[in-house]
Amino acid sequence: MNALSYALLSMLMRKSCSGYELMKLLQAFWQAKHSQIYPLLAKLEKEQLVTFEHIGQTGKPDKKIYSITEAGTAALREWIDNQPASLQLERDEFLIKLYAIGITEPQSAIKLFEERREFMLARLQRLETEMQLMESEEVPVTSYASKQFGRYLLYQRRVRLLREEMAWIEWVLPLLAHDPS
């Protein structure tokens, strides 16, 4: 199984979800498309790691709500306990542009950084809203016993990275605005 398969199982540990819901939940740490998720869910179902229930909808096609099985939980636990995490791969078009930023005019560079800041701010606000919802649950989200514990840790990491990148952008912008060229 690939890492995305385990990511799907991880999401299903918290709650049963449709394929669309899984895609939305994964966005916090993994970019995946419908064309990747649904074949993997079918494979996981065939391997009896997940099961699903058909839910009828009025005016729309029925949807499947997936749940992790005991075998899926065991496979996920085995992967967490015994497989080292692979090195992080970062694919960020912004960083490629940043590497060659010196060939553009300062105004183009400023615009690029301002767009990045706006994107980061919107993402930060969304994550902070999600964290407030998690923090309002009955079982403290900072407790290892909470079903939200791992998700909360992930969101905390992402928020801290976003804040750090936004601080870095604020450091860069005056450098671009005062460029003597």
Side-chain angles (χ1 to χ4, degrees):
M1 288 198 323
N2 63 21
L4 182 55
S5 298
Y6 290 112
L8 294 172
L9 292 176
S10 293
M11 297 292 98
L12 292 171
M13 281 298 302
R14 196 172 61 79
K15 69 175 195 164
S16 298
C17 296
S18 68
Y20 179 78
E21 289 172 308
L22 288 166
M23 184 186 71
K24 296 305 258 180
L25 289 171
L26 284 168
Q27 287 178 346
F29 60 95
W30 197 280
Q31 297 304 313
K33 298 177 182 168
H34 287 99
S35 60
Q36 295 171 287
I37 292 174
Y38 288 104
L40 277 177
L41 286 169
K43 180 180 178 192
L44 292 171
E45 195 269 330
K46 184 178 179 183
E47 294 173 4
Q48 299 181 344
L49 301 176
V50 302
T51 187
F52 65 85
E53 176 184 352
H54 280 282
I55 304 294
Q57 301 186 103
T58 305
K60 298 182 203 176
D62 292 352
K63 68 179 177 179
K64 293 180 180 179
I65 300 296
Y66 293 89
S67 300
I68 192 167
T69 63
E70 286 184 29
T73 301
L76 182 60
R77 184 179 299 114
E78 170 69 22
W79 178 71
I80 292 169
D81 290 347
N82 297 312
Q83 297 293 319
S86 65
L87 297 176
Q88 177 182 349
L89 297 176
E90 188 169 355
R91 296 179 190 163
D92 189 336
E93 194 174 299
F94 172 80
L95 298 177
I96 298 167
K97 290 182 176 188
L98 175 64
Y99 193 76
I101 198 88
I103 66 168
T104 67
E105 295 296 320
Q107 279 311 109
S108 292
I110 289 169
K111 181 179 180 234
L112 181 68
F113 276 87
E114 288 174 343
E115 288 171 350
R116 180 70 166 207
R117 179 177 56 196
E118 291 306 310
F119 172 78
M120 294 288 156
L121 182 59
R123 183 179 252 180
L124 178 63
Q125 290 170 340
R126 184 178 53 77
L127 289 172
E128 287 176 334
T129 299
E130 289 283 328
M131 286 174 45
Q132 288 172 350
L133 290 172
M134 284 185 257
E135 290 166 347
S136 69
E137 292 190 4
E138 193 172 306
V139 176
V141 73
T142 55
S143 166
Y144 199 76
S146 169
K147 284 190 169 190
Q148 299 281 7
F149 184 67
R151 184 173 182 230
Y152 185 73
L153 294 179
L154 176 70
Y155 276 48
Q156 276 288 345
R157 177 185 179 271
R158 192 69 201 131
V159 163
R160 291 167 190 245
L161 290 171
L162 287 168
R163 286 183 181 149
E164 179 60 31
E165 183 162 345
M166 289 174 64
W168 171 74
I169 289 170
E170 295 306 321
W171 174 81
V172 170
L173 283 169
L175 296 176
L176 299 171
H178 296 97
D179 184 43
S181 57

